[in-house]
Amino acid sequence: MNILVVGGGGREHAIIAALARSEKTEKIYAAPGNGGISAYAECFDVKATDIDGIVALAKQLKPDYVFVAPDDPLVMGMVDKLNAEGFKTFGPKANAAIIEGSKAFSKELMKKYNIPTAEYETFTEAEKAISYVKARNTYPTVIKCDGLALGKGVIIAENETAAIDAINSMMVDGKFGKSGNTVVIEEFLTGPEVSVLAFTDGKTVKPMVSSMDHKRAYDGDKGLNTGGMGTVAPNPHYTPELQKECYEKIFMPTIKAMQAEGRPFSGCLYFGLMLTPNGPKVIEYNCRFGDPETQVVLPLLKTDLCDIIEAVYEQRLDGTDIEFDGGACACVVMASGGYPEKYETGKEISGLDERGQCKGAAVYHAGTKLTDGKYYTSGGRVLGVTATGDTLTEALDSAYKAVQTIHFDKAHYRTDIGKRALEAVKK
Ligand code: AMP
Ligand code: GLY
């Protein structure tokens, strides 16, 4: 199979590494890819959001499949365009990707089909939103932009002033552009969070091993929200009983709801769940693999990813067994100093071999450039240093040992990835 992967972060590197393990893959291409990906795939300098550019590249390369990994091109309809040109794809069409593209849509879907989620109201006028939070007078309260906002469009307001500021920043000041024209205001939920990625062909849904993200920038869950500073899999809070409950009350009902709406979802559907005292509830859907969840989920996948891609496209997922390794996996993100705020790039990275790897771990590159045989930082999140083990403790030890051997100016990473997960195992 020749395959073109659209995207250029750690997630795409992990997808490409899983594809490279398959005996079925012949050529792997990436657009735009990155320094680390270039050791595994031929990279082309076309932006992941450039729909016409990607279609033109597909026409040139004639891959058997185009795997569209990031949210923006999916929501913009890249899969629809590729299918119209006769290409087979992995990823949802725009009318299904809206499950991530519009929170107003996904909340309404959940309400209509009785899928457990936080109570909410949707607003298109700032004044009405402000009157509502004042009348409700319950804090914290959660204020979300309707559209895509690089994971930054959710504000947890601790009091009325913060809530009004959040509403104004989204709806009046346009901090998130069009994404903030509509806002969802919802009930604040509590409990451990679990990420579950699931393969689906629109009819059948096959959840993958669960994982846990660490969104805040610093140890102890301090600092700003980031794209994710590390992940572990499996998530120890997610027991077999909860797994069954989520399948029955959330996963299958979501797939059926999308089908009933004439929006069958094909690809990877990401369920962001909160295990509340009143049962598991959906915090968010993503229309794609999560980043950095993918970096810990795919290394545990035993089934050939090419076989799954074909089964999803041909709607034969029902008859496809998907197996995961019984062990654990941990990913520690090394970021540029200052991230998620202002940071510098272009720092030389030492400790990586010519393929961008190091001993004892798989290094998934998120923001690197390869110039004259040397790796340099080129983004906020730079590397996802990932290791598997029989237990989570072993996986974490290996990942952190590898992190010690990699250096770049002002590198920062959390030293407590997996700590809460280990505490949960001990309980
Ligand atoms: P989202 O982008 O929707 O995943 O939200 C980002 C983060 O905000 C989530 O991972 C949660 O930690 C938090 N969050 C979102 N919605 C809620 C909610 N209703 N209650 C509590 N925390 C929330
Ligand atoms: N790690 C969260 C996401 O991919 O949205």
Side-chain angles (χ1 to χ4, degrees):
M1 191 191 279
N2 295 333
I3 184 156
L4 166 61
V5 177
V6 177
R11 163 184 51 208
E12 287 76 11
H13 195 172
I15 290 167
I16 286 167
L19 290 170
R21 287 204 302 270
S22 167
E23 283 178 7
K24 291 199 165 173
T25 43
E26 212 155 292
K27 287 225 76 162
I28 306 175
Y29 308 106
N34 63 39
I37 289 174
S38 65
Y40 295 82
E42 191 179 344
C43 295
F44 293 85
D45 192 16
V46 180
K47 280 205 183 90
T49 46
D50 178 358
I51 296 190
D52 293 338
I54 295 289
V55 170
L57 182 63
K59 284 183 177 168
Q60 177 196 329
L61 300 172
K62 300 187 177 55
D64 298 298
Y65 275 90
V66 183
F67 189 128
V68 184
D71 46 1
D72 305 86
L74 290 167
V75 170
M76 286 158 61
M78 185 178 281
V79 164
D80 308 58
K81 260 284 182 56
L82 285 162
N83 290 162
E85 295 289 345
F87 293 104
K88 294 183 192 175
T89 47
F90 183 90
K93 294 192 168 148
N95 74 348
I98 191 175
I99 200 166
E100 174 171 3
S102 166
K103 291 204 196 284
F105 170 86
S106 68
K107 294 298 288 190
E108 210 175 301
L109 186 86
M110 288 187 270
K111 193 190 241 175
K112 184 169 169 191
Y113 292 90
N114 277 317
I115 298 165
T117 187
E119 295 289 327
Y120 77 101
E121 292 288 337
T122 301
F123 297 91
T124 50
E125 288 168 48
E127 263 171 45
K128 289 198 176 146
I130 291 170
S131 308
Y132 172 78
V133 292
K134 280 185 174 166
R136 191 163 168 267
N137 195 28
T138 311
Y139 300 95
T141 197
V142 184
I143 307 185
K144 299 186 173 186
C145 283
D146 173 50
L148 297 180
L150 296 170
K152 298 187 176 84
V154 173
I155 294 175
I156 297 177
E158 300 290 343
N159 52 47
E160 188 176 298
T161 315
I164 294 171
D165 284 351
I167 292 167
N168 281 330
S169 75
M170 290 175 190
M171 304 189 84
V172 181
D173 308 336
K175 189 171 168 201
F176 301 96
K178 271 202 304 212
S179 288
N181 286 357
T182 298
V183 301
V184 168
I185 300 185
E186 67 178 33
E187 168 200 12
F188 178 74
L189 300 175
T190 56
E193 286 185 52
V194 181
S195 306
V196 179
L197 314 179
F199 290 110
T200 174
D201 59 6
K203 295 184 298 193
T204 301
V205 58
K206 299 242 165 145
M208 300 178 224
V209 63
S210 63
S211 55
M212 181 192 272
D213 195 5
H214 298 68
K215 285 207 167 92
R216 301 292 198 97
Y218 303 114
D219 283 9
D221 291 328
K222 302 237 163 57
L224 292 173
N225 260 326
T226 68
M229 291 298 288
T231 36
V232 296
N235 185 321
H237 295 287
Y238 192 63
T239 60
E241 295 75 46
L242 279 167
Q243 211 166 315
K244 187 162 176 285
E245 186 179 353
C246 290
Y247 184 85
E248 286 165 4
K249 294 188 181 158
I250 295 173
F251 305 158
M252 209 52 222
T254 302
I255 300 306
K256 284 195 178 146
M258 291 299 278
Q259 209 178 56
E261 294 293 308
R263 301 170 180 275
F265 190 103
S266 171
C268 172
L269 182 55
Y270 170 126
F271 297 89
L273 307 173
M274 195 170 267
L275 307 177
T276 78
N278 300 318
K281 296 194 180 185
V282 177
I283 288 279
E284 64 160 348
Y285 293 112
N286 290 327
C287 64
R288 51 170 172 88
F289 275 91
D291 191 341
E293 283 88 345
T294 308
Q295 288 87 315
V296 289
V297 169
L298 288 186
L300 297 174
L301 176 67
K302 288 211 308 209
T303 310
D304 189 319
L305 184 55
C306 289
D307 288 339
I308 301 173
I309 290 172
E310 283 183 315
V312 166
Y313 188 78
E314 292 166 9
Q315 295 192 304
R316 314 183 261 101
L317 199 54
D318 194 20
T320 307
D321 271 336
I322 298 182
E323 278 187 87
F324 283 86
D325 189 286
C329 192
C331 170
V332 178
V333 170
M334 297 182 77
S336 296
Y339 173 79
E341 295 188 277
K342 227 176 137 216
Y343 56 83
E344 292 165 42
T345 58
K347 311 281 185 195
E348 188 178 338
I349 307 170
S350 66
L352 299 177
D353 64 20
E354 66 284 357
R355 298 197 86 203
Q357 296 298 307
C358 77
K359 240 195 172 145
V363 184
Y364 298 122
H365 291 226
T368 70
K369 249 172 74 173
L370 181 62
T371 310
D372 298 330
K374 286 184 178 162
Y375 289 96
Y376 296 90
T377 66
S378 67
R381 287 187 295 177
V382 177
L383 302 169
V385 183
T386 305
T388 52
D390 289 340
T391 63
L392 182 54
T393 306
E394 271 180 43
L396 283 163
D397 282 351
S398 303
Y400 274 114
K401 262 196 202 120
V403 165
Q404 302 307 322
T405 67
I406 302 170
H407 302 278
F408 53 87
D409 185 33
K410 300 199 180 80
H412 90 86
Y413 57 88
R414 280 181 59 163
T415 64
D416 66 345
I417 299 302
K419 191 168 165 223
R420 273 179 298 122
L422 285 176
E423 284 162 7
V425 176
K426 283 187 202 124
K427 267 187 202 154

